């Protein structure tokens, strides 16, 4: 069986040769995602932009610089977290991804998240939020933890949108500052559930002994 690192490396190889949709035709490089594969937090954006397309790395342009700055405010470096996108090739002229492109790319992110198994998924922008929460509304749901299947999702504005709009910038930074508390809360809840399960297991054992 492949270990986590091997699984992610295999997904990366598959992404790099992917021709499942039209986007690979005009893109220079695929951008599979990168970072700490044991991270508790992953950040998921929309699709590579120009700099990402040139380098094959996620969030390395202006939006990426803001992301790194926001990360540093909560005590993280980009190497501490995992960063990816729902779409792995740049859409021409940074147009919005089309529904069939999102659909084709879906299995890659699904497998990446399955392997990393993060405590918290921070979605950057509307497209990424709607990937996990189809009826989500960014202006309403940002800064709130929402359950999506087995994942805890925390939507924030896209850093590129924050760079264009001072009100969104404030919202983006405020929501970002909430991340450490959110993480602790989810971990505590998990710990409580584990404790309750352990107790139930013990009770079962005692009953089994006829006590
Ligand atoms: N915007 C995104 O959504 N993703 C990137 O990787 C860069 C910019």
């Amino acid at each position: 069986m492949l270990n986590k690192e091997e699984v992610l490396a295999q997904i990366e190889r598959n992404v790099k040769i992917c021709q499942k949709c039209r986007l690979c035709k005009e893109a220079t490089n695929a951008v599979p995602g990168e970072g700490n594969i044991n991270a508790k937090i992953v950040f998921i954006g929309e699709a590579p932009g120009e700099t990402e397309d040139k380098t094959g790395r996620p969030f390395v342009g202006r939006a990426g610089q803001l992301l790194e700055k926001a990360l540093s405010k909560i005590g993280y470096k980009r190497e501490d977290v995992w960063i990816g996108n729902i779409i792995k090739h740049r859409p021409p002229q940074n147009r919005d991804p089309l529904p069939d492109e999102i659909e084709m790319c879906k299995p890659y992110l699904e497998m990446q998240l399955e392997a990393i198994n993060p405590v918290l998924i921070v979605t950057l922008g509307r497209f990424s939020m709607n990937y996990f929460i189809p009826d989500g509304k960014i202006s309403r749901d940002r800064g709130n933890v929402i359950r999506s299947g087995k994942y805890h999702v925390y939507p924030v504005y896209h850093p590129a949108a924050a760079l264009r709009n001072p009100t969104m910038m404030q919202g983006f930074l405020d929501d970002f500052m909430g991340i450490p508390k959110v993480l602790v809360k989810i971990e505590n809840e998990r710990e409580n559930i584990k404790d309750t399960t352990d107790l139930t297991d013990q009770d079962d054992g005692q009953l089994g002994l006829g006590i």
Side-chain angles (χ1 to χ4, degrees):
M1 224 179 69
L2 300 181
N3 66 33
K4 190 180 199 175
E5 207 172 347
E6 291 162 343
V7 169
L8 286 158
Q10 184 59 53
I11 300 168
E12 190 169 321
R13 281 193 289 274
N14 291 351
V15 167
K16 285 184 177 166
I17 56 165
C18 183
Q19 299 189 359
K20 289 201 286 177
C21 80
R22 60 188 82 74
L23 293 180
C24 65
K25 294 201 178 75
E26 289 188 48
T28 311
N29 286 296
V31 182
E34 67 179 29
N36 178 358
I37 63 170
N38 297 310
K40 291 180 180 177
I41 314 179
V42 303
F43 289 82
I44 306 298
E46 178 180 322
E50 192 179 1
T51 322
E52 291 76 21
D53 178 63
K54 274 193 191 133
T55 57
R57 300 181 58 208
F59 283 98
V60 286
R62 282 188 69 222
Q65 283 166 19
L66 175 57
L67 177 62
E68 284 184 31
K69 198 171 133 197
L71 277 171
S72 76
K73 285 188 190 290
I74 55 167
Y76 286 86
K77 293 196 283 289
R78 72 177 278 147
E79 300 79 46
D80 298 329
V81 299
W82 193 85
I83 305 175
N85 282 300
I86 55 172
I87 296 279
K88 311 301 193 195
H89 282 108
R90 181 193 184 201
Q93 279 78 51
N94 297 345
R95 68 155 166 76
D96 288 347
L98 300 172
D100 68 315
E101 293 161 356
I102 296 176
E103 205 50 41
M104 294 287 184
C105 230
K106 218 171 195 172
Y108 296 128
L109 185 56
E110 259 171 25
M111 288 186 285
Q112 287 171 319
L113 292 175
E114 186 69 36
I116 298 169
N117 191 24
V119 177
L120 180 66
I121 297 174
V122 179
T123 56
L124 302 163
R126 170 169 70 95
F127 277 94
S128 173
M129 179 193 66
N130 287 141
Y131 172 97
F132 295 96
I133 307 148
D135 59 352
K137 214 172 164 292
I138 190 79
S139 54
R140 182 193 62 200
D141 297 327
R142 52 163 272 257
N144 289 297
V145 180
I146 300 167
R147 204 55 199 252
S148 168
K150 64 176 174 175
Y151 297 118
H152 288 87
V153 176
Y154 184 74
V156 304
Y157 284 132
H158 196 288
L163 285 168
R164 286 192 296 266
N165 177 323
T167 312
M168 282 184 166
M169 175 67 88
Q170 196 52 56
F172 172 77
L173 294 173
D174 288 349
D175 293 343
F176 231 88
M177 298 311 283
I179 291 175
K181 263 198 188 145
V182 160
L183 188 67
V184 169
K185 191 159 179 272
I186 299 168
E187 288 193 301
N188 284 344
E189 275 168 18
R190 282 192 176 178
E191 210 37 53
N192 287 342
I193 291 168
K194 201 175 140 277
D195 288 350
T196 321
T197 316
D198 288 350
L199 273 177
T200 317
D201 288 349
Q202 269 178 30
D203 287 350
D204 284 345
Q206 285 178 346
L207 284 172
L209 289 170
I211 299 167

